[in-house]
């Protein structure tokens, strides 16, 4: 773990915390502290802070921590977390504008109320900021399909619009500018009957709860599906090379390391059974990747983001 150096941070109108434990901010409930956690009051507060912050100080924005492993040594950075001032949702015709902190599920429901079909977002854990940054999707639909534009604050403190072309949407990734913070996004979906849209989402929720460990402490899908085999939700969907299937084939369903386990209900879900460390979770994920490669020659790519530093004693393990 790198030695912390004393830095002077700009004054803010929001909340600025020192040595803030990040485990309580992630769904997996693991991870060490951030040197600093900044929760801006509004976009101007955020922009002014970044503009005045020493350029050598790294920043890292997080959402609701639904797709994140923070390593046990924590973060040598200013972690930025957007709160209530960034979770508004508005609808104009077929266009939905949502703050980065708005939950995907809330956006899907508000859109459906207005007869706009963003139903694929209903079962995606997390917030709109993460959905854009990682091109989240399911049932054959992706954020890229409905994305119009977004507003970001750059690491230099400039407020500007960003286009789909700049983001260069790919499967589960984008070319999001380093150190920038997304503050809101505009999406456009096809029109639909509100009652039908809500019924579709209820069916999706039932299907998810039947097949995924929604009551366990997880971070959603652990690994990306191998290229060309993303889930479509269609009846003719082929599962031979889905991540869960190659994990099953390698005998890693239910595998454990410390308090970490690959779910017995859905083998592409990494869960904290209680008392797991970040090292347990990441180590088990690497065990799975190794076994899958040995079994099939396929190298699984992490979908969960791993950030921060291990503890010094973990470096020699």
């Amino acid at each position: 773990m790198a030695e912390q150096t004393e830095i002077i941070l700009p004054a803010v109108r929001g909340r600025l915390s020192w040595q803030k434990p990040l485990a309580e901010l992630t769904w997996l409930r693991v991870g060490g502290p951030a040197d600093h956690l900044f929760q801006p009051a509004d976009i101007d507060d955020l922009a002014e802070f970044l503009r005045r912050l020493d350029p050598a100080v790294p920043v890292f924005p997080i959402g609701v921590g639904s797709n994140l492993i923070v390593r046990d040594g924590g973060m040598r950075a200013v972690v930025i977390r957007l709160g209530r001032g960034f979770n508004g949702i508005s609808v104009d015709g077929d266009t939905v504008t949502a703050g980065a902190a708005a939950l995907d599920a809330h956006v899907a429901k508000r859109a459906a109320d207005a007869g706009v079909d963003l139903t694929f977002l209903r079962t995606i854990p997390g917030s709109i900021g993460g959905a854009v940054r990682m091109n989240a999707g399911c049932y054959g639909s992706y954020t890229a399909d409905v994305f119009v534009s977004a507003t970001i604050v750059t690491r230099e403190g400039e407020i500007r619009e960003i286009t789909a072309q700049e983001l260069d949407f790919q499967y589960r990734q984008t070319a999001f500018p380093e150190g920038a913070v997304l503050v809101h996004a505009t999406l456009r979906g096809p029109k639909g009957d509100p009652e039908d849209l809500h019924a579709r989402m209820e069916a999706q929720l039932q299907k998810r709860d039947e097949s995924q460990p929604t009551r366990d402490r997880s971070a959603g899908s652990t690994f990306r599906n191998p290229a060309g085999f993303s889930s479509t939700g269609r009846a003719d969907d082929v599962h031979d090379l889905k991540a869960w299937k190659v994990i099953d084939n390698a005998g890693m369903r239910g595998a454990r390391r410390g308090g970490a386990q690959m779910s017995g209900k859905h083998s592409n879900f990494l869960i904290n059974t209680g008392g797991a460390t970040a090292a347990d979770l990441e180590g088990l994920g690497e065990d799975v990747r190794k076994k899958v490669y040995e079994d099939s020659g396929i190298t699984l790519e992490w979908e969960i983001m791993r950030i921060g530093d291990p503890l010094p004693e973990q470096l020699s393990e």
Side-chain angles (χ1 to χ4, degrees), residues 5-11 16 18 36 49 52-55 57 78:
T5 57
E6 190 69 28
I7 61 171
I8 299 174
L9 299 179
L16 192 57
W18 280 257
H36 311 280
F49 176 83
R52 296 173 54 202
L53 182 65
D54 183 341
V57 177
V78 176

Side-chain angles (χ1 to χ4, degrees), residues 187-257:
L187 311 174
R188 180 177 294 122
K191 297 292 286 184
D193 177 73
E195 188 173 331
D196 290 343
L197 296 176
H198 280 287
R200 187 189 306 169
M201 291 190 294
E202 285 303 313
Q204 291 171 353
L205 285 172
Q206 183 176 346
K207 181 179 179 181
R208 180 196 66 178
D209 291 345
E210 289 171 353
S211 62
Q212 298 176 9
T214 53
R215 297 185 182 278
D216 292 324
R217 187 174 293 170
S218 80
S221 296
T222 304
F223 301 106
R224 301 172 183 173
N225 285 319
F229 291 90
S230 57
S231 297
T232 66
R234 296 192 301 264
D236 62 351
D237 200 357
V238 177
H239 292 267
D240 295 352
L241 283 175
K242 298 294 172 63
W244 72 266
K245 187 67 165 79
V246 297
I247 292 170
D248 271 9
N249 292 346
M252 294 301 282
R253 179 183 288 263
R256 288 178 176 265
R257 177 188 277 221

Side-chain angles (χ1 to χ4, degrees), residues 6 38 82 107 120 142 145 149 225 245 285 306 309 317:
E6 190 69 28
F38 176 40
L82 305 184
V107 174
F120 76 95
Y142 297 90
D145 300 330
S149 66
N225 285 319
K245 187 67 165 79
R306 291 100 55 232
D309 301 327
E317 293 178 0

Side-chain angles (χ1 to χ4, degrees), residues 285-300:
E286 289 300 322
D287 291 344
V288 169
R289 296 179 74 235
K290 180 181 179 181
K291 288 288 188 181
V292 167
Y293 183 77
E294 290 173 352
D295 180 70
S296 65
I298 293 172
T299 301
L300 288 176

